[in-house]
Amino acid sequence: MCAYRSTATFEERGIRPPPWNSATVGESDLKFIHLRDGEDTGLLQYVRSGGIAFPHIMVPDQLQIRGVAKLSTNEPVGGVSALHVVGDQSEQDSVVLQNKEADEPNSALSTMVSHALWLWNAKQNIAELITRAQTRSLLAAESWLPTPLAHAVFGQVPGTAAAAEADAIEAREAEGQKNMLAKTDGPVSCVAWHPHRSLLAISHRATDCVFVYDLVNDTWCSNVLQNAYMQGITSMAWQPNCGYTLAVGCTTGVCLWNIVPAASSDSADVLKAPGLGGGQISAWMSLLSFPELSGTCRYPSQLPTSDKVSFHRSASSVSALSFSNSGQWLVAGHQTHGHLTVWDVALGTATPLKRSGSTSRSATLQVGMSPNDRYLISTHANGQLRLWETENWTSRVWSDFNANVTRFTWSPDSRSVYFAVADSADIYALALYKAPSSLDAQVTHVTTFTAHAAAVSEDADSERVRVGGSIKYLALDPRGQRLVVSFDDDSTSGDISLLAVYLVNNDALFRAGGDSSALMPLGYVRGPNWGKQHRLEQDVALEPKPDKSTKKKRVRVGTPTPSWFGFSPNFEPGALLTVVWANGKISLLPLLYATKLTRA
C-alpha cells in the first residue's frame, strides 16, 4: 500500500462548518449556500445565480397500508411467485398487492389461471411437492412424539412446531432490531435512483414496502409495492435498459418487480414515454432463488443451458445488490456466507461465485459492478475487499485492513475505487493501472479527515463546532468530480450530522510519485433541523459553560444525522446529491459546476 502526500485539510484551508440552525440548499461557484430560514437573502442570490431549490421529500415514521396479509411462517408455502396489482378505483391510495392464489376462490377464471401457471412451473413444483409430503409425515409423527424428542429429532423442519417457535423468536428479534434502527436511522431503509429517469424508489423500514417518487412531476406514484415475502429490505436496484424493473433484496431472497405504467389518455402524450408519477400502474413480482453451492462452479457465459438453475422460491438472505450497466447481470451478496450469486436476468438463470472457506463470518457487505461491466468488487465481514474481472471470473483479494471496508464507490472511468474502513478517518483508493481484464491494481492512501473544532464565523463570540471522526459512508457523483463523506458516532467524532465534500481529480491517482490534489476539501453540507422542540433542555445543560476569558462557547448540535446519501445518475448542470436524514426528510441538493474538472 502506498501513500500520497498529505492533502490540505479543511481546517488548513479555512473552511468553516455551517451553524446548527442553518440548512444547506446547494453548491454554486465552488461555494455551499447555507440558509437560516426562508427569508434569508442568500436564497435570492442563489436563485439569481442559476441555483435550483428543491423541496424536501417527507417520509413518515408510521404508515397504515390495508389489505396485505403477513406470511404465516409455520405453514409450507408453494405455488407461483408471480404477483399482480389490484387497484381500488374508489380509493386511489389503497392499492393492494396480492398473490394470484389469493384471488376469489369461486372464480373459474382464477382457477384456470392458477392451474395453467402450476403446469407451466411443474418442473420446479415437483421438488416442492416432495417437501410438502415429507412435512405432512413429520407433522403426523410430531403429534404423537413427546415435544422435546420431536424437537431433537426434527429440529427446524419447515411446518413443525419447533420451526414455528424458532421462526416466531426470529421474527420478534427482527422486529426489535427494526424498531431500534427506525429510532436511530429513521423510517427509510433503502433508496435507489432509476438509471434513466428521475424516479426514486424508497423503502419504508417499518412496513417493508416500496414507494416510487417522480421528481419531474413532483408526486408519488399512487401504487405501493408490498408483499408478504418482501420482509427485511436490505438493498434495491433498478435494472438498466429495461423500462421499470426493480430488484429488492430482503431476508427471503430477491423480489424482482416488473412495473408497467398506465397508458396516457391524452392524445398529446401518445408519443411520449409513459411515466409512473400520479397514475395507476400494473406490477407483478418474481421471487428469485439461489442455486446449490455444491458442485463445479463456472462463470455464467460458459454454462450450458442444462446446468443453469431456473427461478424458483428461496429463503436465502440478501445483503447487497448490483446490476451490470448493460442490465444483463444481477449480482447479489448474502448475509449468511461470502459467496456471490450472479443472475442472467433475461435467461432466468443463476450461477454461484464460490469462495473457499466462506462462512457466516465472511458475509457480504457490499457489491458493485464497474461502469464498464468489466469488474466487480465485493466487501466482506472478515475485512476482505475482493476484485473480480468478469471475463473469466478470476479475483484478487486485499485483506490487510484493520477493520471492514464500510463503503466503496467506483469512478466513472472504471479505473479507480474510493473506499473507507471502519473506525478510521482515512480515505483509500484502489487504482487499476492496466486495461481490462487485468487485476494489476494497487491500494493507496489518499487523505485523512482530521477531526477539529472550528468556529462557524470570524466573530469572536461565534459558536464552535467539532467536525470529523471515523468515516462511515462515502459517495462519488456520476461525473467523478465530487466525493461526499459522512462520519460515524464514536469517541473521536464531532458533529456527525455534517457531510464533508471533496473536489476530485481522479487523474492524480495515476501520476508518478502520487499527487496531493486527488482530493481537495471543498465544503460542508448540513441538513434540515429537528425543530426547536427537539433541542432538549438536558442537552443544553450538558454543554460546557462559556469561557469568560475568551468569550467563546461550544454548542451541542442536535440536528438529524444522514442515514443514506447518493447521487442521481442524470443531472445536467452538475450533480444532484440525495440525502436521507434520520427525521424522514429527503434532501435534493444540486451541486452546480462545469462539466469539465474545475481546480480549486
Side-chain angles (χ1 to χ4, degrees), residues 191-485:
V191 173
W193 273 104
H194 193 282
H196 313 300
R197 294 184 173 275
S198 299
L199 296 174
L200 195 62
I202 303 169
S203 65
H204 193 263
R205 194 185 306 276
T207 58
D208 283 325
C209 60
V210 176
F211 301 89
V212 179
Y213 182 81
D214 190 333
L215 183 61
V216 173
N217 298 319
D218 191 20
T219 183
W220 294 93
C221 177
S222 58
N223 298 75
V224 178
L225 304 181
Q226 186 180 36
N227 181 257
Y229 291 104
M230 198 166 68
Q231 300 178 14
I233 298 175
T234 59
S235 53
M236 294 191 301
W238 290 94
Q239 183 178 5
N241 306 316
C242 193
Y244 305 102
T245 300
L246 178 67
V248 182
C250 50
T251 56
T252 56
V254 177
C255 299
L256 191 67
W257 288 95
N258 294 277
I259 306 171
V260 179
S264 175
S265 59
D266 189 351
S267 59
D269 294 336
V270 172
L271 299 180
K272 294 183 180 180
L276 299 184
Q280 288 289 325
I281 62 174
S282 298
W284 63 93
M285 189 201 83
S286 299
L287 191 59
L288 308 190
S289 68
F290 302 95
E292 296 293 335
L293 294 176
S294 59
T296 304
C297 176
R298 282 173 286 176
Y299 48 91
S301 60
Q302 292 189 359
L303 276 180
T305 304
S306 58
D307 291 348
K308 294 183 178 180
V309 181
S310 300
F311 289 157
H312 61 281
R313 191 174 63 84
S314 170
S316 300
S317 296
V318 172
S319 57
L321 288 175
S322 178
F323 269 107
S324 62
N325 195 49
S326 64
Q328 178 184 1
W329 293 335
L330 174 62
V331 182
H334 304 277
Q335 299 180 16
T336 54
H337 56 79
H339 305 298
L340 305 180
T341 304
V342 180
W343 280 280
D344 189 314
V345 181
L347 298 179
T349 57
T351 304
L353 297 178
K354 297 189 295 185
R355 298 169 50 245
S356 60
S358 177
T359 64
S360 59
R361 294 183 179 180
S362 59
T364 306
L365 303 178
Q366 186 185 1
V367 294
M369 292 286 295
S370 63
N372 63 3
D373 289 349
R374 303 299 297 272
Y375 292 101
L376 168 70
I377 278 190
S378 62
T379 59
H380 302 271
N382 58 358
Q384 290 186 351
L385 182 147
R386 184 177 291 266
L387 175 67
W388 299 81
E389 52 84 18
T390 59
E391 183 175 343
N392 298 306
W393 292 102
T394 57
S395 65
R396 181 181 174 185
V397 179
W398 287 264
S399 58
D400 53 346
F401 306 114
N402 295 327
N404 295 332
V405 175
T406 56
R407 190 68 61 176
F408 66 82
T409 178
W410 278 98
S411 65
D413 59 5
S414 301
R415 298 175 62 199
S416 59
V417 180
Y418 292 92
F419 65 93
V421 177
D423 303 324
S424 171
D426 299 322
I427 299 177
Y428 299 90
L430 177 67
L432 285 76
Y433 294 106
K434 294 184 178 180
S437 50
S438 172
L439 294 175
D440 184 10
Q442 185 177 18
V443 172
T444 61
H445 172 257
V446 181
T447 189
T448 300
F449 190 98
T450 305
H452 63 281
V456 299
S457 69
E458 297 179 357
D459 190 353
D461 293 331
S462 67
E463 62 186 82
R464 295 182 62 83
V465 175
R466 180 173 174 79
V467 187
S470 300
I471 295 177
K472 186 176 183 180
Y473 298 123
L474 50 79
L476 184 67
D477 80 289
R479 288 191 174 93
Q481 298 189 27
R482 298 292 185 273
L483 181 73
V484 182
V485 301

Side-chain angles (χ1 to χ4, degrees), residues 536-590:
L536 303 178
E537 294 181 0
Q538 57 265 35
D539 289 344
V540 178
L542 292 175
E543 297 175 4
K545 295 181 179 180
D547 188 345
K548 295 181 179 179
S549 60
T550 60
K551 295 184 180 181
K552 294 183 179 180
K553 61 181 179 180
R554 287 178 56 87
V555 175
R556 185 183 177 110
V557 180
T559 51
T561 57
S563 59
W564 181 93
F565 58 91
F567 288 91
S568 167
N570 301 296
F571 189 69
E572 290 299 328
L576 184 60
L577 176 62
T578 308
V579 187
V580 180
W581 304 95
N583 61 351
K585 287 186 177 181
I586 301 178
S587 299
L588 302 171
L589 306 175

